[in-house]
């Protein structure tokens, strides 16, 4: 593995100020152990799975978050986990985008969606925040809704439950297995999106696990 990591570092051999990362992959969540494995942190979990697939780590601190470097299909990518807390995610994403001069259409955001069934994925190339405060803040900081995103379904909240309590809660045991599979699938979707484009990724992953 050390040789593989050295090859990745070789792609990033120039000074960071002179680099241009082709893609930023940002998984959204809240920092600290208190929020680990909650519904709102599925973006972090997908980034962790993706980092493992790419034989890298996300432990360098910058851009108000943790980040790591990797290569997907010959394209340099930055894996980013904002540490600003969810509602200020745009501060971290914008800082990384400005530093690497990455346009919004090459910023892929992975996050939880309460309107999708548990474990269901949906890829979009643009759209509104849909009530998600992390996406709302990213839109505000980027000044556009036109950036690709991978939504990971966490299921709808019970009728009388507060939304904040629901998304900050953890998955019951019977759903956790579905989510582990969804994290792997979302990581694969990121790779397909980068290597083959949004159209192919949407055809392959959208609607999977949807109810008939």
């Amino acid at each position: 593995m050390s040789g593989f990591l050295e090859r990745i570092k070789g792609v990033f051999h120039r000074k960071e100020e002179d680099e241009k990362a082709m893609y930023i992959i940002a998984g959204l969540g809240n920092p600290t152990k208190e929020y680990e494995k909650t519904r709102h942190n599925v973006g972090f979990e997908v980034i962790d799975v993706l980092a493992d697939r790419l034989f890298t780590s996300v432990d360098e601190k910058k851009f108000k978050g943790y980040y790591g470097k990797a290569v997907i299909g010959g394209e340099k990518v930055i894996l980013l986990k904002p540490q600003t807390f969810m509602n200020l995610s745009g501060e971290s994403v914008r800082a990384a985008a400005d530093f690497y001069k990455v346009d919004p259409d090459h910023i892929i955001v992975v996050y939880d969606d309460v309107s999708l069934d548990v474990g269901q994925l949906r890829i979009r190339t643009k759209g509104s925040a849909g009530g998600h405060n992390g996406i709302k803040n990213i839109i505000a900081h980027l000044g556009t809704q036109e950036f690709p995103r991978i939504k990971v379904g966490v299921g709808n909240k019970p009728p009388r439950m507060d939304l904040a309590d629901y998304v900050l809660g953890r998955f019951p045991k019977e759903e956790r297995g579905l989510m582990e599979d969804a994290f792997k699938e979302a990581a694969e979707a990121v790779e397909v999106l980068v290597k083959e484009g949004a159209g192919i990724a949407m055809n392959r992953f959208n609607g999977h696990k949807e109810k008939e």
Side-chain angles (χ1 to χ4, degrees):
M1 183 177 293
S2 60
F4 188 89
L5 289 173
E6 288 303 316
R7 289 199 296 276
I8 289 177
K9 290 178 182 177
V11 177
F12 289 86
H13 69 281
R14 291 173 296 165
K15 289 183 179 180
E16 286 192 329
E17 289 78 3
D18 298 326
E19 291 185 76
K20 180 176 181 180
M22 295 305 296
Y23 285 87
I24 292 172
I25 318 298
L28 304 190
N30 286 309
T32 75
K33 288 187 177 295
E34 178 183 357
Y35 298 103
E36 285 182 358
K37 296 188 177 182
T38 59
R39 293 181 179 89
H40 228 16
N41 274 35
V42 299
F44 279 7
E45 297 206 60
V46 172
I47 291 295
D48 289 341
V49 171
L50 183 59
D52 286 344
R53 288 172 66 100
L54 299 174
F55 303 102
T56 190
S57 59
V58 183
D59 54 11
E60 295 187 63
K61 196 167 185 179
K62 199 171 184 177
F63 315 122
K64 298 185 178 182
Y66 289 108
Y67 78 102
K69 300 170 183 176
V71 177
I72 298 176
E75 300 278 17
K76 291 181 289 185
V77 299
I78 296 297
L79 308 182
L80 179 66
K81 293 165 68 174
Q83 300 293 296
T84 54
F85 286 94
M86 182 66 77
N87 292 2
L88 298 176
S89 298
E91 294 181 3
S92 177
V93 173
R94 179 61 188 266
D98 285 350
F99 186 87
Y100 288 107
K101 300 179 175 61
V102 177
D103 293 329
D105 63 347
H106 276 203
I107 299 172
I108 301 170
V109 183
V110 186
Y111 62 101
D112 59 295
D113 192 314
V114 297
S115 70
L116 300 177
D117 290 340
V118 173
Q120 181 184 336
L121 301 186
R122 184 164 293 160
I123 300 171
R124 292 286 184 265
T125 57
K126 59 183 178 180
S128 68
H132 194 286
N133 288 332
I135 297 299
K136 181 187 291 186
N137 194 253
I138 291 172
I139 290 172
H141 280 273
L142 295 182
T144 181
Q145 297 182 358
E146 298 190 9
F147 54 87
R149 68 282 307 265
I150 298 176
K151 306 177 184 183
V152 183
V154 298
N156 206 346
K157 71 176 183 66
R160 296 184 180 180
M161 190 174 189
D162 181 74
L163 179 60
D165 290 338
Y166 180 71
V167 297
L168 295 179
R170 291 177 172 82
F171 296 99
K173 185 177 180 179
E174 62 271 19
E175 293 182 352
R176 185 68 200 180
L178 291 174
M179 293 309 301
E180 296 287 350
D181 290 341
F183 301 150
K184 295 173 185 176
E185 192 173 27
E188 181 184 352
V190 169
E191 295 187 68
V192 172
L193 207 161
V194 171
K195 291 189 286 188
E196 303 182 58
I200 291 175
M202 287 190 286
N203 286 336
R204 187 174 303 178
F205 295 96
N206 282 1
H208 188 64
K209 299 181 183 176
E210 285 192 49
K211 291 181 179 178
E212 297 293 339

